[in-house]
Amino acid sequence: MDIGLFFLIAVGFGGVGRVFTRNIWNLNFSDSAESFIFSAALGSIITSLLVTCLAFSGQVSTLTCGVLLAILFIVGIASLKHSRQGYPELKALLNGSAFLPLSPIKTPAQIILVGLLLLALSLALAPAFVTDALVYHLAVPKAFLEAGGIINLPNNIYSFFPQQMEMLYLFALALGSDSLAQLTGLGIVFLLLISLWHYCKHKGSENYAWLAPLIFISTPTFFSIASSAYVDLQAAAYVFLAFYAWENGCTRKQNGWFVLMALFAGAAVATKLTSVIILPLALLGLAIHGRSHKNTGQVAGQCLILLLGCLMLLLPWLARNYYFTGNPFAPFFMNIFGGENGMNWDLARSQLQFQYYSSFGMGHGIREFLLLPINLTFFSQPHSLRFDGQIGVLYFILVPALFALNRKSLPMVAVFSVLLVFWFIQTQYIRLLAPAFAFLSVLLVIGLKQSVQKHSASVGISEKYFLSIILVLGLLFNVSAITKRWSRVEPVSYLLHKENRDQFLTRQISAYPVFSVANHLIGKKEKVLLLYMRNLGYLMDRPFYSDTFFEAHTLKKIIDEEVYAEGIIPRLKSLGITHIMFNRQFVFGENSVFSSGEKGILKNFLIHHAQRIMVKNEFFLYRFVLN
């Protein structure tokens, strides 16, 4: 069912985008693959805007999203029928001719790439279980869907971020399950991979072009989030396509490409705020292009289009934030615009959170920057302050290829360098490297191809096979890390119906049984306080109260201010809290953030004013007895 709906969505994206790229702007595409890439990516942005309009008007439902899907699909089919070219590249893939003739570089790359995409597809078809997706990428759209439109979610500060990609997830949730949302996100990742291949294909040999998407998606951390309803790789897709559109605009002299660039740049920022660096880069690119063509007036118009395109995608969310909090940039700039009264957040917590994010990596000095290739390759660790991820060894193996790049690659080198430096001085999460590494993957492939051409006289068949073996070994190292994680998840049992959704989620999330019981036993008008339950709001089908990031903030404040039950009870009643769910390890255990006095007060309150409903895997569910 979800696969079929995803096909309809994909056709709709391509069709509605093609109306603009072909029928309105009449853009010149090099081939049908390029037409599909840009049309489908534009279609995803248009669909997100349409769903945003439904959400802000309070008209989000399965019915309205179903009607929207039908309209998109009809437009897509009509557009496909009027296409003279069709999609010969897709036909070549389906009949296998794209895999011929065999090559010592292309063939292994294609085989491994197909294998990885099948693994990613299997993960996307399984229920969502990754933390950030359950905390906000899916939790926020789910709340909007249940309410029928945009509502204030003061206890989830991530809900105040722009929701470009989340609107597509909302669209998918209205039509199907979280698997459809994950497939939709994976579809944007597929567009990124196709665009990397297509860009390299037209810049060099087709044999080497297949390496670009493979290098990128074989990065263990990137693969792990590709099918998990995250937004990092989707932001990277829009950033890369913005550059691709700018380059096409410079060479093909059509203003429609610069409009596309503006929309992709705006979509990147509205998808992931850390992509904001793309805006000054885009303005600089327009200025350089205008200076070389000595057309100041045209540059001014293009810059205006860029700003208007970004505002069109960002303004609804800035207005929403201003309406609910008085701060259009909430939860940021609280020292200037305030906003504490409109959300469960404050400046002190914001500063502590920023300090925590800044602690990721292995330093921010010049020496640490020069050591990045070594530190990222050999010392990064998932779920730790050391970059919180893993990039594998392939980038390190191919770094020498960068020295073979020529002047034609300077614009891309400049963009990659700025993205890397911006990442280095901000938050050093490996998954936030996705935009920079999309460009790096292309640069490595172009450099590798140019290096082989430069030394073609001394490079024979044996040397090419040796190079292929080195690349395959590097890829196998990366793939081994990916398959280990995939085997731990083991989605096949769920896909073959050997286990149901609850059984699968119980294997992935130790707290899931408690969430499941809470959803069945807690009334629809009751509310549970989540305490160190990782704020997995998507799993909750009942009202809940939680604190973002600092999960004990509200309860600690109540205990510290009231101390005695006579004061605590009215505070809980004022918040509508009737139940509490918590992780014992972080409340009463060695890792507790509560002082011994606070533990004593809470334990005594639970004994005299609460009834234990369930305990499972160190997770407790209590019902308060407040009368």
Side-chain angles (χ1 to χ4, degrees):
M1 181 64 177
D2 286 335
I3 287 286
L5 288 170
F6 173 66
F7 172 76
L8 298 181
I9 291 173
V11 173
F13 283 0
V16 71
R18 190 178 179 83
V19 169
F20 287 85
T21 58
R22 279 291 191 186
N23 299 350
I24 297 179
W25 297 327
N26 194 28
L27 295 178
N28 294 326
F29 293 106
S30 60
D31 52 38
S32 59
E34 187 178 66
S35 173
F36 172 76
I37 292 167
F38 284 100
S39 298
L42 176 61
S44 72
I45 297 174
I46 295 172
T47 304
S48 177
L49 284 171
L50 293 174
V51 177
T52 300
C53 292
L54 290 176
F56 274 83
S57 61
Q59 300 298 320
V60 171
S61 66
T62 299
L63 176 61
T64 56
C65 289
V67 171
L68 177 58
L69 176 61
I71 294 172
L72 294 176
F73 181 72
I74 292 171
V75 171
I77 292 298
S79 176
L80 188 62
K81 285 183 177 179
H82 287 89
S83 172
R84 296 180 180 179
Q85 287 182 305
Y87 291 102
E89 287 83 1
L90 178 60
K91 295 177 182 178
L93 286 173
L94 293 176
N95 62 32
S97 61
F99 299 93
L100 299 173
L102 300 179
S103 164
I105 292 179
K106 182 182 77 170
T107 303
Q110 290 173 328
I111 293 172
I112 298 175
L113 182 59
V114 169
L116 290 178
L117 295 182
L118 290 175
L119 294 182
L121 185 62
S122 67
L123 290 171
L125 288 170
F129 65 91
V130 182
T131 301
D132 281 10
L134 301 182
V135 171
Y136 64 105
H137 294 312
L138 293 178
V140 172
K142 178 186 176 184
F144 291 165
L145 179 61
E146 291 174 346
I150 299 295
I151 57 173
N152 190 21
L153 300 172
N155 296 320
N156 190 338
I157 64 163
Y158 304 114
S159 69
F160 295 97
F161 292 177
Q163 305 285 309
Q164 152 71 22
M165 197 63 206
E166 281 79 4
M167 288 297 98
L168 294 181
Y169 292 152
L170 171 58
F171 184 54
L173 289 176
L175 297 170
S177 66
D178 48 27
S179 294
L180 180 58
Q182 293 182 143
L183 285 171
T184 303
L186 185 61
I188 306 298
V189 177
F190 284 169
L191 283 179
L192 171 60
L193 300 180
I194 296 171
S195 64
L196 295 177
W197 162 77
H198 190 268
Y199 186 91
C200 290
K201 176 185 175 183
H202 285 268
K203 293 292 181 179
S205 170
E206 184 176 353
N207 291 337
Y208 290 90
W210 289 97
L211 285 174
L214 179 56
I215 291 171
F216 184 83
I217 200 61
S218 67
T219 305
T221 293
F222 296 164
F223 179 88
S224 69
I225 62 175
S227 54
S228 301
Y230 274 44
V231 300
D232 307 88
L233 302 191
Q234 290 76 16
Y238 292 130
V239 169
F240 184 79
L241 287 173
F243 175 85
Y244 203 164
W246 170 80
E247 196 170 81
N248 284 348
C250 292
T251 57
R252 302 178 193 180
K253 306 186 188 316
Q254 288 182 299
N255 286 328
W257 286 109
F258 295 110
V259 177
L260 266 183
M261 182 197 72
L263 292 173
F264 289 142
V269 179
T271 299
K272 191 76 175 178
L273 286 174
T274 52
S275 303
V276 69
I277 189 63
I278 192 65
L279 298 184
L281 282 174
L283 289 171
L284 180 62
L286 292 175
I288 292 174
H289 171 65
R291 183 179 179 183
S292 62
H293 289 74
K294 299 180 180 180
N295 194 336
T296 306
Q298 187 179 27
V299 172
Q302 292 168 352
C303 290
L304 180 61
I305 290 173
L306 174 64
L307 295 177
L308 290 176
C310 294
L311 285 175
M312 180 177 66
L313 293 166
L314 291 171
L315 268 182
W317 306 109
L318 298 179
R320 181 274 313 263
N321 289 354
Y322 182 78
Y323 178 79
F324 286 131
T325 70
N327 178 358
F329 304 103
F332 306 105
F333 303 112
M334 297 181 67
N335 57 327
I336 301 174
F337 300 104
E340 292 185 9
N341 295 329
M343 55 185 171
N344 181 14
W345 196 243
D346 52 56
L347 184 59
R349 278 181 282 176
S350 180
Q351 291 173 339
L352 288 174
Q353 185 190 41
F354 179 76
Q355 291 175 7
Y356 174 73
Y357 286 154
S358 298
S359 66
F360 277 82
M362 297 180 67
H364 296 269
I366 295 177
R367 178 176 178 272
E368 287 76 20
F369 182 79
L370 296 176
L371 289 174
L372 263 183
I374 296 174
N375 290 338
L376 281 171
T377 302
F378 300 106
F379 298 107
S380 59
Q381 296 177 1
H383 312 297
S384 76
L385 290 177
R386 288 193 172 185
F387 306 108
D388 189 27
Q390 185 180 11
I391 68 167
V393 301
L394 200 55
Y395 290 105
F396 188 78
I397 291 174
L398 293 174
V399 161
L402 295 177
F403 295 100
L405 294 171
N406 56 32
R407 293 176 58 88
K408 293 182 180 179
S409 300
L410 281 179
M412 182 171 282
V413 171
V415 173
F416 162 69
S417 301
V418 171
L419 292 174
L420 181 64
V421 171
F422 184 76
W423 170 87
F424 181 77
I425 63 178
Q426 295 296 317
T427 303
Q428 294 180 19
Y429 278 93
I430 279 182
R431 58 188 172 89
L432 299 183
L433 269 176
F437 274 31
F439 289 91
L440 178 59
S441 299
V442 171
L443 290 171
L444 290 173
V445 171
I446 293 176
L448 181 64
K449 183 252 183 184
Q450 291 176 350
S451 178
V452 172
Q453 283 185 336
K454 184 177 180 180
H455 302 91
S456 58
S458 58
V459 176
I461 297 297
S462 58
E463 286 80 5
K464 289 184 178 180
Y465 274 101
F466 177 76
L467 176 61
S468 300
I469 292 173
I470 295 296
L471 290 174
V472 168
L473 290 176
L475 284 167
L476 290 178
F477 180 90
N478 288 11
V479 170
S480 65
I482 290 172
T483 53
K484 284 180 182 178
R485 180 186 179 277
W486 183 87
S487 63
R488 287 196 297 269
V489 176
E490 195 187 348
V492 175
S493 297
Y494 172 80
L495 298 179
L496 296 179
H497 304 290
K498 293 182 178 180
E499 61 180 359
N500 58 32
R501 178 185 178 86
D502 287 345
Q503 291 170 331
F504 175 84
L505 289 175
T506 299
R507 284 198 295 110
Q508 310 304 326
I509 305 170
S510 56
Y512 180 77
V514 184
F515 280 99
S516 180
V517 168
N519 288 331
H520 286 89
L521 295 185
I522 296 177
K524 293 184 178 180
K525 294 184 179 181
E526 297 177 311
K527 185 183 294 185
V528 59
L529 172 65
L530 301 183
L531 196 63
Y532 286 103
M533 301 299 295
R534 295 163 57 199
N535 283 329
L536 305 180
Y538 183 77
L539 299 179
M540 287 299 303
D541 295 331
R542 295 293 184 266
F544 66 93
Y545 187 99
S546 62
D547 297 303
T548 303
F549 204 77
F550 303 96
E551 297 185 44
H553 176 79
T554 295
L555 188 58
K556 280 176 64 70
K557 185 177 181 180
I558 293 175
I559 291 175
D560 292 341
E561 291 179 355
E562 303 299 340
V563 180
Y564 299 107
E566 291 77 7
I568 295 174
I569 289 174
R571 294 286 293 274
L572 293 177
K573 285 185 175 180
S574 68
L575 295 173
I577 294 172
T578 59
H579 295 71
I580 185 172
M581 188 190 304
F582 62 88
N583 183 338
R584 183 185 181 280
Q585 179 183 0
F586 293 101
V587 176
F588 295 114
E590 295 180 356
N591 296 322
S592 174
V593 299
F594 292 90
S595 66
S596 57
E598 291 168 337
K599 290 180 186 178
I601 294 172
L602 179 57
K603 185 176 293 185
N604 184 66
F605 189 84
L606 292 176
I607 291 173
H608 293 93
H609 299 280
Q611 176 185 5
R612 192 170 78 183
I613 297 176
M614 181 184 183
V615 56
K616 180 74 172 179
N617 299 333
E618 290 291 307
F619 298 98
F620 287 73
L621 175 62
Y622 278 82
R623 175 185 288 111
F624 286 127
V625 182
L626 302 179
N627 295 323

